[in-house]
Amino acid sequence: MIIDEKLRWFGFWTLDRLRGGQVRKYYNQIREGYQKGTSIEENNKKIQKLIAHAVRTTEFYKEYREDTPLEQLPVVNKDTFRNNYDAFLSDVYKQASDNRIMCTSGSTGTPLSMVQNKDKINHNTAGGIFLGAVGGYYIGMKEAFIRVWVNNVRKSKFQLLAENMIMMDSSAMDDEALEKMLGVIEKKKVKCLVGYSSALGEISRYIKEHQVDTSKFCVRSIIPISESMPVGVRQDLKKQFGCPVRAWYSNEENGIMGIQRLEDESYHIDTESYYYEILKLDSDEPAEPGELGRIVITDLYNYAFPILRYDNGDLAIAEKKVKNGRYQLFLKELYGRRSDMIYDCNGKAVTPYIITNNMWDVKGVKQFRFIQETETSYTLWLNGDREKMNVEDILSRIQPYLGEEAQIKIDYVDEIPVLNSGKRKYIENRCEKYKGK
């Protein structure tokens, strides 16, 4: 098994070398930027080069000057891309035969297709390999990827063989499905688990409730994706499998952009591939140091579909470390989708982590969803063993963060549905006042 994995590792890099070594080149750049920081001067050159290309080759940016500073370009989002799709396509790349189409899941709206040129694909590959290695996953390791495998992301038998991967579908996560999953993970000697945080959380819950003996499992690395994972779930998985649990920060349209650090819950961003701005919640002005703001991404290598100042809907508090003309960026707190933010009775934004981190160890709770209905009323859906749930304990954990006026209603349900993408929504804001935020 180890020989087979090493052959895949060396085989990949040998093939890359025969093709010109672009992935290795980018891998080394990303590794250096991660370890030493990214050159501010070189980063600025990349940004201006991308802007000049976008002005020359796309309809959307043609009215701007090639030397326009980044901050003078408009902030865009998924709706901007959908409504002006053809205008964002570069005339130089849109007919290229080696382009790739990436599709968002459409969890919170209409799916979006995004074109990537070959150089961007190579950079994504390099970033994935490096950030995978940081998390303990190496090319060739037996991997189980847990997600909803819709047609546009399904892999062929040849791809699965080449990547040593098992596709595990998270559409069904009942106890029968979880038992089968764990059976395959043990029998196939899976070494890396990659998957939606909620799916990995369900596996952890099943192990705990059924006292599954994991001592014979071979898992060495767990990488949650797409959703935030409660601290307690992360700690449980780490104990259950005896390996690091480090989440990727990623999306379909850009790629893998960062990885969670071992020492805390923050994310180390790949600043060689992406330039991040953190802007205020209610304007396009830069957020103050330590202030919660919107993540706005400039993808430095997608020339087929230039992504400049893309507000992807996530919120974060960032820390930028600068030394000797180089910088590193850390997302100290990552709050996920703006639509998942909740607010206390005084209208102050409250991180959804106060809910997820307080619910993870409540006895009897199998699934939950917390919903803000109005400015002062909330609903908590609970699925599980009602006799074991201590509602007073649950309310005492949550209410202090929301205010004395908060009215929290408990609804017991038999099942909490997942989104079309297979992700499980823990937090939802239905209050009309906050829908535009």
Side-chain angles (χ1 to χ4, degrees):
M1 183 66 70
I2 295 176
I3 294 175
D4 182 49
E5 292 175 357
K6 286 184 176 180
L7 284 173
R8 281 183 167 88
W9 173 266
F10 288 114
F12 175 86
W13 290 119
T14 299
L15 187 58
D16 176 61
R17 187 165 60 250
L18 293 173
R19 291 172 173 171
Q22 282 299 306
V23 176
R24 171 60 78 176
K25 172 186 171 184
Y26 291 145
Y27 177 93
N28 291 338
Q29 288 177 355
I30 293 167
R31 179 176 59 186
E32 183 179 16
Y34 186 90
Q35 295 173 345
K36 300 179 181 179
T38 291
S39 165
I40 295 173
E41 181 181 356
E42 291 301 317
N43 219 41
N44 290 336
K45 288 179 181 178
K46 288 181 187 177
I47 292 169
Q48 287 308 136
K49 181 181 176 183
L50 179 63
I51 292 172
H53 166 79
V55 170
R56 288 195 305 268
T57 70
T58 72
E59 285 293 314
F60 190 84
Y61 293 104
K62 69 177 183 180
E63 300 301 327
Y64 293 89
R65 291 169 52 92
E66 291 187 21
D67 59 354
T68 301
L70 181 67
E71 61 271 16
Q72 292 182 16
L73 294 179
V75 175
V76 298
N77 55 35
K78 284 185 181 178
D79 285 338
T80 317
F81 292 147
R82 290 190 188 101
N83 297 334
N84 303 275
Y85 187 81
D86 289 339
F88 278 97
L89 290 171
S90 168
D91 292 339
V92 174
Y93 288 94
K94 66 181 177 182
Q95 300 300 330
S97 60
D98 54 2
N99 282 346
R100 176 175 69 181
I101 306 295
M102 299 299 292
C103 297
T104 63
S105 64
S107 300
T108 55
T110 306
L112 172 68
S113 297
M114 192 75 72
V115 182
Q116 295 179 347
N117 52 289
K118 182 60 176 176
D119 198 46
K120 165 64 179 173
I121 297 168
N122 286 337
H123 219 278
N124 267 15
T125 301
I129 294 171
F130 174 73
L131 293 173
V134 172
Y137 167 73
Y138 299 88
I139 297 172
M141 285 176 64
K142 193 69 174 180
E143 170 194 355
F145 202 144
I146 307 166
R147 62 167 296 165
V148 174
W149 289 97
V150 292
N151 289 333
N152 68 310
V153 295
R154 290 188 69 85
K155 293 179 179 288
S156 67
K157 290 183 179 180
F158 176 77
Q159 287 176 306
L160 293 174
L161 179 64
E163 298 176 25
N164 209 9
M165 179 190 290
I166 300 171
M167 291 189 298
M168 286 190 169
D169 200 290
S170 62
S171 299
M173 295 298 286
D174 54 30
D175 282 2
E176 182 180 357
L178 291 166
E179 182 181 13
K180 288 181 179 178
M181 276 187 183
L182 285 167
V184 172
I185 291 168
E186 181 180 8
K187 182 179 179 181
K188 297 292 186 179
K189 300 186 184 302
V190 170
K191 291 186 177 178
C192 180
L193 299 179
V194 178
Y196 295 152
S197 295
S198 55
L200 292 168
E202 290 293 301
I203 289 174
S204 177
R205 175 194 62 78
Y206 181 89
I207 291 172
K208 185 188 296 184
E209 290 184 359
H210 295 268
Q211 298 183 334
V212 177
D213 180 10
T214 57
S215 63
K216 295 181 181 179
F217 284 66
C218 298
V219 177
R220 296 180 182 174
S221 171
I222 299 176
I223 301 176
I225 60 170
S226 295
E227 311 155 287
S228 62
M229 175 175 278
V231 175
V233 175
R234 183 182 173 197
Q235 292 172 344
D236 278 350
L237 282 166
K238 184 178 178 180
K239 291 177 183 177
Q240 288 162 347
F241 289 100
C243 70
V245 181
R246 303 178 70 175
W248 276 334
Y249 181 50
S250 64
N251 60 32
E252 296 288 353
E253 55 269 34
N254 296 114
I256 301 168
M257 297 178 286
I259 189 168
Q260 209 165 26
R261 299 202 292 173
L262 275 176
E263 55 267 39
D264 55 30
E265 297 295 308
S266 69
Y267 290 78
H268 191 155
I269 296 301
D270 169 15
T271 47
E272 289 292 318
S273 308
Y274 306 95
Y275 179 75
Y276 273 38
E277 298 172 83
I278 307 297
L279 304 184
K280 289 183 177 292
L281 297 180
D282 54 1
S283 76
D284 290 342
E285 296 299 314
E288 299 296 328
E291 180 184 8
L292 178 66
R294 298 140 51 212
I295 295 177
V296 175
I297 303 166
T298 292
D299 189 327
L300 299 173
Y301 284 87
N302 194 344
Y303 275 59
F305 195 104
I307 298 175
L308 292 149
R309 308 198 83 196
Y310 167 45
D311 182 339
N312 74 338
D314 288 349
L315 304 176
I317 294 175
E319 178 184 19
K320 190 174 184 178
K321 294 184 178 180
V322 181
K323 185 178 180 180
N324 298 327
R326 307 180 77 90
Y327 82 100
Q328 294 176 313
L329 183 70
F330 305 94
L331 303 184
K332 295 177 66 177
E333 295 185 36
L334 178 61
Y335 289 174
R337 298 295 169 186
R338 208 168 318 154
S339 59
D340 294 339
M341 288 294 291
I342 54 174
Y343 297 81
D344 66 16
C345 294
N346 295 317
K348 181 181 177 181
V350 177
T351 170
Y353 289 151
I354 67 107
I355 306 297
T356 56
N357 287 346
N358 275 291
M359 290 296 299
W360 73 271
D361 64 343
V362 176
K363 291 182 179 179
V365 175
K366 182 179 178 182
Q367 300 163 339
F368 72 89
R369 182 176 296 175
F370 187 83
I371 304 165
Q372 180 160 15
E373 308 282 4
T374 69
E375 293 175 55
T376 58
S377 63
Y378 310 83
T379 302
L380 178 60
W381 290 355
L382 295 174
N383 173 27
D385 188 336
R386 300 182 191 182
E387 293 184 2
K388 293 182 179 179
M389 295 181 201
N390 186 334
V391 173
E392 290 184 2
D393 176 50
I394 294 172
L395 294 177
S396 69
R397 293 175 179 219
I398 297 173
Q399 182 128 18
Y401 294 97
L402 303 174
E404 294 182 1
E405 298 177 18
Q407 300 174 350
I408 305 174
K409 176 187 175 186
I410 304 293
D411 280 352
Y412 296 103
V413 297
D414 294 327
E415 180 65 28
I416 297 178
V418 297
L419 303 173
N420 292 334
S421 63
K423 302 171 188 175
R424 189 173 297 279
K425 196 177 186 71
Y426 293 115
I427 311 295
E428 183 179 358
N429 197 323
R430 297 179 180 177
C431 180
E432 290 294 329
K433 178 178 178 179
Y434 300 121
K435 282 188 175 180
K437 283 188 176 288

